[in-house]
Amino acid sequence: MNSPRTVRPYQSYVYAYPHKTAYRPLGGHPAGRPALRDLWAGERKDALSLYLHLPFCEVRCGFCNLFTRIGAPDELTGRYLDALDRQATAVRDALGDDEPVRFAATAFGGGTPTFLTAAELQRLCDIAERRMGADLRSVPLSVETSPSTATADRLAVLADRGTTRISIGVQSFVDAEARAAVRPQRHTDVEAALGRIRDTRIPVLNIDLIYGIEGQTERSWRTSLDAALVWRPEELYLYPLYVRPLTGLGRLGAEADVVWDEQRLRLYRAGRDHLRAHGYEQVSMRMFRRAGAPQEGPADYACQTDGMIGLGCGARSYTGRLHYSFDYAVEMREIRAIIDRYTATEDFSYAEVGRHVDADEARRRHLLQSLLQAGGLQTADYRARFGTSPEEDFRSELDRFEARGWLEAAVGASGLLRLSPEGLAHSDALGPELFSPAVRAAMAAYEQK
């Protein structure tokens, strides 16, 4: 069997399963699209998650393959919010009133939600509250921002409307590394933005950092980590750099190789150990939480659970049987076209593209979401949901992981299946090995655009 050293550790960042590249148009033609009212009939609605997606950024970083466009000419943000309002109205109508509808968590992501003006952020919050019925001041609200858009007036709106967690993408506190990642920013501007965020007293601050940037060393990586730690963030996410097709770095011809893999693994371990030494607990390969810090936002992967409603053309929604969204693209021209179609849409009562989730896929998704967490998977919970055990359903995969030293706690008296430190380090190799053959085939057949 393969040892960890022969497995490429950075294959795919598994933040959702199945991935959007496995989605396809639903129904075959417009008349056959499933109605949202039918999709949500019979689903539990007492603890839903709500996600609003804003596909706008001032610049696009070289590593970014998110669904986002640069700028918003001709009052595009206003038209987008108009469409978001129409979509929210249609979705809330589809949920019905036969049983209580309650939202247990909310999040604004993107893109960069704080690309919107302060007045537009007020309207965004109004859509979540008045159209969807989410009580933003009584449930966790997580919002993403950037150094250039974390202005005092925007942050004041977010704090006033109940934001409990704000996540800022810094990536590096070293200016030369930011430039290498095609991310124009200055250390001084980042520090000023962090100061403004702390002034709002939003309970949880998360800082995103990236390792594996060209020219980055353990010393410069430590510089970024220490600069972040000065702010005592409640959470830190450490992301390995990926070079994906159609991104800025991808067009420069950068490719992964063994040397780069070794650099990223070395920096990951250095970052993990440094944060642990400073009182942070590891939640997943990427997420670290300061000991004793409040958990005011969703846990890692928690926003990917069933009962998720996504609003906006880059958002996904999850019922127990179907994951659905709008079309997906990375190339800027395609993204612009999708946004234009979204803003022109009047009828949002149907699902456009998606993927059905059968019993096997539900098992794989549950295993992925649990096993990629440092706390592991409680097999009793798995059996209560599916009537089987992970060993029965995924014997060959678990044997392979165990042979590589990726499992620390096999099922025994504890009833816990948990990754070893080496397994957590190889999460981006382990996760894709749990994809079903059907999802692999659909992803492979997807035409990049």
Side-chain angles (χ1 to χ4, degrees):
M1 294 202 179
N2 292 332
S3 68
R5 291 184 179 180
T6 63
V7 176
R8 300 295 296 271
Y10 299 104
Q11 297 179 27
S12 178
Y13 170 22
V14 185
Y15 61 90
Y17 180 79
H19 190 267
K20 261 191 175 181
T21 54
Y23 291 12
R24 295 294 184 270
L26 296 168
H29 54 84
R33 295 173 301 171
L36 299 188
R37 183 175 291 276
D38 295 335
L39 292 179
W40 286 99
E43 296 283 328
R44 287 190 58 180
K45 307 181 186 74
D46 59 340
L48 297 170
S49 296
L50 178 64
Y51 175 74
L52 277 66
H53 180 264
L54 284 300
F56 306 108
C57 286
E58 289 190 336
V59 297
R60 196 173 202 195
C61 303
F63 52 83
C64 180
N65 74 333
L66 298 177
F67 186 90
T68 183
R69 63 160 291 161
I70 300 170
D74 303 321
E75 300 180 341
L76 179 57
T77 54
R79 297 200 306 278
Y80 186 86
L81 288 171
D82 289 343
L84 200 67
D85 198 324
R86 293 195 298 273
Q87 185 188 6
T89 300
V91 171
R92 183 60 188 86
D93 181 66
L95 293 176
D97 294 308
D98 294 337
E99 56 187 287
V101 175
R102 176 181 175 272
F103 292 94
T106 53
F108 301 159
T112 308
T114 49
F115 179 90
L116 299 179
T117 66
E120 288 172 332
L121 283 172
Q122 291 279 20
R123 186 179 179 197
L124 182 70
C125 293
D126 286 344
I127 290 171
E129 290 195 325
R130 298 176 185 175
R131 292 289 185 258
M132 294 303 300
D135 187 350
L136 299 183
R137 291 181 177 87
S138 65
V139 301
L141 169 59
S142 179
V143 182
E144 297 173 10
T145 191
S146 68
S148 62
T149 62
T151 58
D153 59 339
R154 293 175 170 107
L155 294 171
V157 169
L158 296 177
D160 179 66
R161 299 302 291 261
T163 301
T164 54
R165 176 182 183 270
I166 194 151
S167 178
I168 183 168
V170 173
Q171 320 314 351
S172 177
F173 284 85
V174 179
D175 288 351
E177 291 178 2
R179 288 194 297 272
V182 195
R183 183 180 178 84
Q185 68 184 26
R186 295 183 302 174
H187 178 197
T188 52
D189 294 335
V190 171
E191 296 284 350
L194 288 167
R196 291 191 295 271
I197 291 171
R198 278 310 197 195
D199 287 343
T200 66
R201 301 188 182 278
I202 289 172
V204 172
L205 165 65
N206 172 70
I207 297 176
D208 289 344
L209 298 175
I210 284 181
Y211 55 92
I213 300 170
E214 183 179 1
Q216 192 175 47
T217 65
E218 287 191 47
R219 184 174 180 178
S220 67
W221 178 226
R222 178 75 64 89
T223 296
S224 281
L225 291 167
D226 286 340
L229 289 171
V230 166
W231 296 97
R232 290 183 50 78
E234 284 69 27
E235 296 174 5
L236 276 159
Y237 272 73
L238 308 184
Y239 289 95
L241 180 64
Y242 273 92
V243 174
R244 301 175 175 95
L246 304 181
T247 62
L249 290 178
R251 291 189 179 91
L252 293 176
E255 295 181 359
D257 58 24
V258 174
V259 173
W260 192 26
D261 285 346
E262 292 175 350
Q263 180 211 18
R264 286 181 285 181
L265 270 177
R266 185 172 64 253
L267 294 174
Y268 159 78
R269 291 176 176 133
R272 174 199 63 193
D273 295 346
H274 194 60
L275 293 186
R276 284 177 171 173
H278 283 77
Y280 283 76
E281 301 168 341
Q282 185 168 19
V283 179
S284 70
M285 172 187 167
R286 289 167 172 78
M287 184 181 182
F288 295 80
R289 180 180 291 121
R290 200 181 76 217
Q295 185 178 329
E296 294 287 352
D300 200 16
Y301 297 94
C303 64
Q304 308 298 338
T305 55
D306 296 339
M308 170 85 173
I309 290 179
L311 301 179
C313 58
R316 313 166 198 236
S317 297
Y318 304 129
T319 72
R321 297 162 294 171
L322 179 73
H323 295 185
Y324 64 92
S325 66
F326 295 92
D327 200 4
Y328 171 72
V330 175
E331 202 276 326
M332 190 60 66
R333 180 178 57 185
E334 297 286 347
I335 289 175
R336 288 170 178 161
I338 293 170
I339 293 173
D340 288 344
R341 289 197 297 272
Y342 175 82
T343 58
T345 298
E346 294 293 334
D347 185 0
F348 285 103
S349 62
Y350 299 89
E352 297 286 343
V353 300
R355 188 168 188 88
H356 292 279
V357 178
D358 60 18
D360 175 67
E361 297 292 14
R363 285 175 165 82
R364 291 178 184 275
R365 189 161 179 264
H366 186 103
L367 181 61
L368 273 167
Q369 289 176 318
S370 303
L371 195 57
L372 293 179
Q373 300 293 291
L377 179 146
Q378 293 287 346
T379 56
D381 293 341
Y382 185 98
R383 183 174 289 278
R385 180 177 179 185
F386 299 111
T388 56
S389 71
E391 294 76 16
E392 294 173 68
D393 296 336
F394 301 100
R395 182 71 271 171
S396 63
E397 291 92 336
L398 295 177
D399 283 346
R400 188 162 64 246
F401 299 158
E402 188 170 14
R404 294 173 182 166
W406 289 358
L407 295 181
E408 179 179 87
V411 176
S414 68
L416 182 67
L417 190 64
R418 188 174 64 231
L419 296 182
S420 67
E422 196 65 18
L424 274 178
H426 285 78
S427 292
D428 286 3
L430 183 152
E433 292 196 30
L434 291 173
F435 292 3
S436 71
V439 165
R440 288 175 183 273
M443 292 175 68
Y446 175 77
E447 183 178 347
Q448 296 284 347
K449 61 181 181 179

